[in-house]
Amino acid sequence: MTKKIAVLAGDGIGPEIVAEAVKVLNAFKQDGLAIELEYGLIGGAAYDETGSPLPDETLQMAKEADAILLGAVGGYKWEALDISVRPEKGLLGIRSQLNLFANLRPALLYPQLADASTLKPEVVSGLDLMIVRELTGGIYFGQPRGIRTLDNGEKEGYNTLVYRESEINRIGRVAFDIARKRQSRVCSVDKANVLECTELWRETMTTLSKDYADVELSHMYVDNAAMQLVRAPKQFDVMVTTNMFGDILSDCASMLTGSIGMLPSASLDENGKGMYEPIHGSAPDIAGQNIANPLATILSAAMMLRYTLDQPAFADRIEAAVSKVLDQGLRTADIFSAGMTRVTTAEMGDAVVAAL
Ligand code: IPM
Ligand code: MG
């Protein structure tokens, strides 16, 4: 049966990088991949057109689709808007409306890029880490939230960090299940020494781990985890953490792989339906210049084939093709180093298609 993919390019470099991933997906049609792409608006582009960063039409399309491919949202142009209609709200809205609570962010170092990382090659070579970030709860969504004016006229901003046991258990299970297919080690990251909410997180993970006697569970405070990620990142197999800690640690982990332009992600619901997007943002400073790295988005399409469309052979082909173009010495600006061939966004996409 033909699978429907909702394509939401978004803002900034979004349309440029998504176009390259679409090239790659379309190239598989001749090999029998039955997919149909539909395009929708999200983020600032949607706000400009409709007054909402997540129009009903887009939400409906995303709900009906089998999978979603997303570029990025946000940009200087919309920074002064009220927070309720900012482009980021479109992304957060779709994550929460579709219950995409499990965000998988693999940080894999392609050996060809060991020199592109700002860290020493011996620290990062062989890196293969999976960050499992809770995506629909925590301080991103907790109530109450807002900015209020106190009696003395001073303004006060406030947000709420909140997690229920059920939310911790379901993200924990995802992490343990993934660890079983890897090195069977989970490191749960919290701030249990200060925040009650993550004290509960730690207790709940510990109780849950009894169902997974074959998986080794460890705990780490988030400040230490950030330090360990740059000191000795290969100690980690699977990291599981809250929405905000995962946001921060995954940006940090991305630099271990040479560039944030290399990291794909999957955001899954309970049934494996998913939205796939690069972890980087809309990079408005380089938008429209055809220099952004499309590999994170192309690798996100590979994750889509693997996790939602159940087409691991096509996913393997994309990952092998990415490795091949790196072998050929092709590099976008963010991963460029001396002796390599510098290519544009579109040239990188074409090269991956040729290497499939
Ligand atoms: C990410 C991004 C988003 C987040 C922003 C754009 C809302 O940084 O996907 O990591 O904070 O989750
Ligand atoms: Mg982020």
Side-chain angles (χ1 to χ4, degrees):
M1 222 182 67
T2 304
K3 301 281 187 187
K4 272 197 210 163
I5 301 172
V7 180
L8 312 176
D11 309 318
I13 59 171
E16 298 163 60
I17 53 175
V18 162
E20 302 314 309
V22 165
K23 271 185 200 167
V24 172
L25 284 171
N26 279 335
F28 284 143
K29 282 186 178 165
Q30 64 184 40
D31 298 337
L33 181 68
I35 50 166
E36 188 189 310
L37 309 185
E38 304 168 295
Y39 293 81
L41 291 168
I42 196 163
Y47 174 82
D48 287 349
E49 231 13 68
T50 70
S52 161
L54 181 59
D56 290 342
E57 228 175 279
T58 300
L59 187 57
Q60 202 51 38
M61 181 190 294
K63 280 185 175 160
E64 282 164 16
D66 294 290
I68 302 148
L69 180 68
L70 184 127
V73 298
Y76 312 127
K77 192 179 161 193
W78 303 284
E79 271 169 15
L81 286 178
D82 186 79
I83 197 165
S84 64
V85 288
R86 260 185 236 155
E88 289 77 6
K89 270 282 164 189
L91 180 57
L92 297 175
I94 204 166
R95 287 174 179 171
S96 119
Q97 295 279 329
L98 271 64
N99 269 316
L100 305 171
F101 70 93
N103 186 211
L104 315 185
R105 300 192 157 187
L108 185 88
L109 179 81
Y110 281 86
Q112 302 92 324
L113 295 182
D115 291 321
S117 174
T118 46
L119 278 88
K120 294 196 189 92
E122 62 267 29
V123 174
V124 292
S125 64
L127 178 85
D128 178 2
L129 152 75
M130 177 68 91
I131 297 183
V132 178
R133 169 188 177 195
E134 200 291 324
L135 203 61
T136 52
I139 199 165
Y140 270 51
F141 293 94
Q143 295 287 347
R145 62 190 297 156
I147 300 173
R148 60 193 162 209
T149 306
L150 303 174
D151 290 343
N152 69 0
E154 191 187 2
K155 282 188 181 167
E156 179 179 75
Y158 56 101
N159 288 88
T160 306
L161 172 62
V162 50
Y163 272 114
R164 295 185 182 183
E165 285 177 298
S166 53
E167 291 176 284
I168 304 169
N169 275 316
R170 70 176 182 175
I171 193 70
R173 288 194 186 281
V174 170
F176 281 111
D177 286 337
I178 288 177
R180 277 187 169 156
K181 297 187 197 139
R182 300 170 45 101
Q183 295 171 41
S184 294
R185 288 187 294 118
V186 171
C187 179
S188 172
V189 177
D190 60 41
K191 189 73 185 174
N193 50 344
V194 178
L195 305 172
E196 289 83 351
C197 179
T198 67
E199 193 185 342
L200 178 69
W201 177 283
R202 185 175 285 221
E203 279 169 26
T204 308
M205 286 292 174
T206 303
T207 308
L208 179 64
S209 73
K210 304 206 166 88
D211 290 355
Y212 296 86
D214 53 320
V215 179
E216 179 195 309
L217 173 68
S218 60
H219 303 275
M220 200 177 271
Y221 297 137
V222 63
D223 49 350
N224 185 23
M227 188 267 276
Q228 296 297 338
L229 266 181
V230 287
R231 190 190 73 87
K234 284 183 274 182
Q235 68 185 282
F236 298 109
D237 178 23
V238 175
M239 282 177 131
V240 62
T241 191
T242 64
N243 202 341
M244 185 160 78
F245 294 164
D247 179 44
I248 298 166
L249 293 179
S250 59
D251 263 34
C252 178
S254 73
M255 267 322 288
L256 307 171
T257 71
S259 163
I260 194 165
M262 292 300 298
L263 249 72
S265 82
S267 307
L268 306 174
D269 73 4
E270 212 101 42
N271 307 311
K273 171 169 173 168
M275 179 161 82
Y276 296 84
E277 54 176 311
I279 83 149
H280 61 71
S282 58
D285 53 324
I286 59 163
Q289 296 176 37
N290 197 20
I291 59 172
N293 185 349
L295 292 179
T297 316
I298 290 172
L299 290 167
S300 298
M303 289 187 89
M304 173 191 292
L305 290 161
R306 193 179 303 284
Y307 288 96
T308 297
L309 302 182
D310 204 20
Q311 296 281 0
F314 286 119
D316 288 345
R317 281 175 64 188
I318 293 181
E319 284 157 6
V322 167
S323 193
K324 199 160 151 194
V325 300
L326 295 175
D327 280 337
Q328 290 163 357
L330 306 184
R331 302 283 188 275
T332 42
D334 57 314
I335 49 176
F336 182 76
S337 59
M340 299 293 138
T341 309
R342 196 165 160 154
V343 293
T344 63
T345 309
E347 285 165 349
M348 187 58 111
D350 291 339
V352 172
V353 170
L356 288 172

